[in-house]
Amino acid sequence: MSELPVGVLALQGDFELHEQALDRQGVGHVRVRRPGELEGVRSLIIPGGESTTMTRLIDKVGLRQPILDFAGAGKPILGTCAGLIMLATRIEEEEGLHGVRPLGLLDVVVRRNGYGTQVDSFVGDILDLDRGETAQGVFIRAPMILEVGDEVEVVATFMDKMVGVRQRSVTGLAYHPEVGTEYLSNT
Ligand code: GLN
């Protein structure tokens, strides 16, 4: 039996850029927009976008519990930028002020738009600790990871700040690995 495709949560945000990145690597993928669609995928990508809107849509289509069950079954989840915010256990600002209700799958505290308004978007040299090499990371109104729990492993840093974290099968990246550095000059 052939391997199941990767699921890309396609409710909002830059899911098409993730699809293009998967295409470039020859990895099969399908869009996930409804709970039942999680049964047909081996892993899930939660893209960048707007975590307030993503919260609303995840709850509207009834994907919150299915995503929690998916993670509970040990299946891999990757969240980038707003996706990382959605995976966090806590957002620094008070709940209610921002309307984001994270899934709580990664024991981290994040600050939305933590890299400031002047430098909303930039390309930074990140250290990929898994591969032991540097790479360029595109940060777009990126969240800052403020605290991590004991079970969380740091997998990428940028200027000594944590920008990639993993807890068992759940990984969150503050930057966008799915877009090339040319992305910023084109926007
Ligand atoms: N600032 C956005 C948020 O708070 C995230 C930005 C992004 O995903 N590029 O949800």
Side-chain angles (χ1 to χ4, degrees), residues 16 26 63 65 73 81 87-88 97 111 116 125 131 141 159 170 172:
E16 285 176 334
L63 265 168
Q65 192 56 47
C81 203
L87 290 172
L97 282 181
R111 175 185 296 159
D125 284 327
R131 294 191 180 142
R141 294 180 299 111
M159 304 219 312
V170 179

Side-chain angles (χ1 to χ4, degrees), residues 12-14 47-54 80-86 93 100 111-114 120-121 138-143 173-176 178:
Q12 190 269 335
D14 80 332
E50 193 52 52
S51 48
T52 47
T53 311
M54 227 179 273
T80 61
C81 203
L84 158 65
I85 297 170
M86 290 311 302
E93 306 103 303
V100 181
R111 175 185 296 159
R112 293 176 66 213
N113 305 311
D120 298 305
S121 303
V138 177
F139 292 77
I140 305 168
R141 294 180 299 111
L173 304 176
Y175 55 96
H176 289 265
E178 73 282 12

Side-chain angles (χ1 to χ4, degrees), residues 37-101:
E37 289 164 351
L38 277 176
E39 282 154 28
V41 302
R42 70 178 134 120
S43 56
L44 180 70
I45 295 175
I46 304 181
E50 193 52 52
S51 48
T52 47
T53 311
M54 227 179 273
T55 294
R56 197 162 43 73
L57 294 174
I58 283 174
D59 288 328
K60 188 175 168 200
V61 302
L63 265 168
R64 179 173 295 269
Q65 192 56 47
I67 293 174
L68 296 177
D69 294 343
F70 190 83
K75 295 182 188 167
I77 301 184
L78 168 69
T80 61
C81 203
L84 158 65
I85 297 170
M86 290 311 302
L87 290 172
T89 42
R90 194 160 77 77
I91 296 160
E92 187 191 37
E93 306 103 303
E94 284 297 314
E95 220 178 290
L97 282 181
H98 46 68
V100 181
R101 209 174 132 228

Side-chain angles (χ1 to χ4, degrees), residues 105-125:
L105 290 169
L106 256 179
D107 190 11
V108 298
V109 181
V110 296
R111 175 185 296 159
R112 293 176 66 213
N113 305 311
Y115 289 89
T117 47
Q118 283 159 345
V119 282
D120 298 305
S121 303
F122 59 94
V123 179
D125 284 327

